[in-house]
Amino acid sequence: MTSAADQPTPPIRTDVLIVGAGPVGLFAAFEAGVLGLTCEIVDGLDKVGGQCIELYPDKPIYDIPAIPSCTARELVERLMAQCKPFNVPIHLEQRVESVEQRADGRWTVRTERGLAFDVAAILLAAGNGAFVPQKLALAEAVPLESRHVHYSVPRLADFADKHVVVAGGGDSALDWVLALRKVARHVTLVHRRNGFSAADSSVELMRRAVEAGEMDFVIGAIAGLTVEDDALKAITLRGLDGETQLEAEHLVALYGLVADLGPIAQWGLSIHGGRIDVDTSNYESSRPGIFAAGDIANYPNKQKLILSGFHEASLALRKAYSYAYPEKKRMHVHSSYDAKLAEKLGAVG
Ligand SMILES: Cc1cc2nc3c(=O)[nH]c(=O)nc-3n(C[C@H](O)[C@H](O)[C@H](O)COP(=O)(O)OP(=O)(O)OC[C@H]3O[C@@H](n4cnc5c(N)ncnc54)[C@H](O)[C@@H]3O)c2cc1C
């Protein structure tokens, strides 16, 4: 797996670009290998697994064929093991931005961090879109973004000796507040209730840190920001007893992630309800050569289930083959009857 590279690089040539390393994108990588297609995967997140890892890693899943029960995390690990024999490059922290069809019919796809791909077909397995942080609904927060208002913590050292307020009640908020209390001058956790959706052990650590005077915890909602000389000075909190002011130089709001179709919505595809219309005979979109599978695909009676996405990706890639190798006729062969493939897959495990 590669991580974000900010250098513009020459386009990477491959048969199919898979957008999304969720369960459907990972299975698609395996299926592409079985069909004899080369592919690469991009994902905007810093890890593979899509919703399974981002939203419910420890929840059991009971409706994957031949796996009576596994956690979402285990499913992703199995999918990674399944596609491993094909050594598919996975580019993380690379949100896909633009697409352009060239005169020869191939596509150039670019990511926001400068990667480019030269491909015969694109499979969008992008779920509900790229995950982006849920932001504060306060106009005065916008000009302070990245300087005084943050939606992630890129470098702890940037908060050394500062007054920091962390807002949120999930794992990220608890993990970061515990880390920040060691470097900041003062750190306060703000959450709208005295209950958390974070790991019990982190909540326990936070409560002990409050008791020890290492940090504060305040119940309330952020109602406004006081800005002076283009810098954050204080936060207005609305709580049960009305409004109070909290001194702050930095606000780290960790309200979780929301999915956003983002730039893909500008690709000229037919879209309904934020999802891409497809032909169910091959899961091709309204632009021939661009396919959609998994939660992002739209067709009558679509079910947002992992197993539906597996089927959709499999049919999409069969049609994608005709774009990558127009001169070849792909014969249907069961994977176990293909000696070379069987040898390769024998390496799984
Ligand atoms: C709480 C919960 C429980 C569920 N339980 C089950 C269950 O038990 N069984 C079941 O079958 N289904 C279940 N589902 C549904 C299942 O998780 C989805 O159907 C499945 O994740 C869809 O997979 P996907 O690969 O299509 O999309 P996702 O899992 O959403 O993955 C899409 C990936 O694409 C990436 N991406 C999006 N846009 C871009 C872009 N522009 N550039 C780069 N990357 C991008 C995203 O970062 C993400 O990683 C559940 C869903 C939820 C929320």
Side-chain angles (χ1 to χ4, degrees):
M1 271 185 270
T2 64
S3 198
D6 290 322
Q7 300 297 323
T9 49
I12 298 167
R13 192 178 162 98
T14 189
D15 293 337
V16 182
L17 180 68
I18 298 172
V19 178
V24 176
L26 294 178
F27 180 73
F30 165 76
E31 194 65 3
V34 168
L35 295 174
L37 289 163
T38 60
C39 70
E40 308 226 351
I41 304 181
V42 285
D43 200 297
L45 291 175
D46 61 357
K47 49 187 151 344
V48 302
Q51 292 173 52
C52 288
I53 293 298
E54 205 54 49
L55 301 182
Y56 58 100
D58 299 319
K59 184 188 91 70
I61 301 181
Y62 301 114
D63 52 1
I64 303 298
I67 304 179
S69 169
C70 69
T71 64
R73 191 191 310 278
E74 283 162 357
L75 178 69
V76 170
E77 284 166 6
R78 284 169 185 249
L79 288 165
M80 286 294 282
Q82 191 173 21
C83 67
K84 192 172 170 210
F86 299 109
N87 292 322
V88 175
I90 302 179
H91 308 272
L92 296 174
E93 296 181 76
Q94 293 285 352
R95 191 170 84 137
V96 154
E97 288 277 308
S98 67
V99 71
E100 189 186 314
Q101 191 164 27
R102 303 199 316 254
D104 63 0
R106 290 178 66 90
W107 302 87
T108 303
V109 185
R110 294 182 198 282
T111 70
E112 62 182 349
R113 303 192 72 170
L115 279 188
F117 295 87
D118 165 358
V119 295
I122 301 159
L123 175 60
L124 296 171
N128 300 313
F131 287 105
V132 290
Q134 171 110 46
K135 295 194 174 178
L136 291 158
L138 295 173
E140 64 269 35
V142 179
L144 301 181
E145 242 177 69
S146 309
R147 294 184 296 117
H148 297 274
V149 172
H150 312 265
Y151 297 104
S152 62
V153 182
R155 283 183 348 126
L156 264 184
D158 294 344
F159 300 90
D161 213 25
K162 305 283 186 202
H163 281 275
V164 184
V165 170
V166 176
D171 281 312
S172 309
L174 271 286
D175 287 354
W176 281 117
V177 87
L178 289 169
L180 282 162
R181 81 188 199 283
K182 295 181 181 162
V183 296
R185 175 177 301 184
H186 187 262
V187 67
T188 306
L189 176 66
V190 172
H191 185 42
R192 60 195 152 74
R193 59 194 176 89
N194 192 11
F196 298 87
S197 54
D200 291 345
S201 54
S202 307
V203 177
E204 179 58 30
L205 275 176
M206 182 275 291
R207 294 201 194 282
R208 268 197 257 142
V210 172
E211 272 168 30
E214 295 167 11
M215 57 171 283
D216 286 329
F217 166 52
V218 181
I219 297 174
I222 296 177
L225 307 179
T226 305
V227 182
E228 277 174 29
D229 299 329
D230 206 23
L232 180 64
K233 289 285 171 235
I235 292 170
T236 306
L237 284 186
R238 191 175 299 131
L240 290 174
D241 305 326
E243 290 193 347
T244 49
Q245 293 279 311
L246 197 61
E247 183 184 351
E249 295 167 278
H250 291 272
L251 168 60
V252 182
L254 298 168
Y255 293 142
L257 301 170
V258 287
D260 174 17
L261 198 53
I264 294 173
Q266 315 306 320
W267 284 18
L269 305 169
S270 172
I271 292 179
H272 280 98
R275 292 187 289 142
I276 296 166
D277 297 332
V278 289
D279 169 351
T280 51
S281 68
N282 50 29
Y283 296 92
E284 194 160 29
S285 74
S286 58
R287 292 190 77 179
I290 301 183
F291 299 82
D295 282 9
I296 200 170
N298 182 47
Y299 56 88
N301 205 23
K302 161 72 187 169
Q303 303 295 312
K304 285 191 177 185
L305 286 173
I306 294 164
L307 65 82
S308 318
F310 290 169
H311 162 79
E312 294 153 12
S314 170
L315 285 200
L317 288 162
R318 280 165 169 77
K319 176 79 190 282
Y321 190 92
S322 68
Y323 291 107
Y325 301 101
E327 72 291 352
K328 284 194 200 167
K329 181 147 178 56
R330 220 198 70 79
M331 302 300 287
H332 174 75
V333 182
H334 288 293
S335 52
S336 47
Y337 293 141
D338 179 328
K340 268 200 201 150
L341 185 62
E343 193 187 328
K344 196 165 223 181
L345 297 182
V348 180

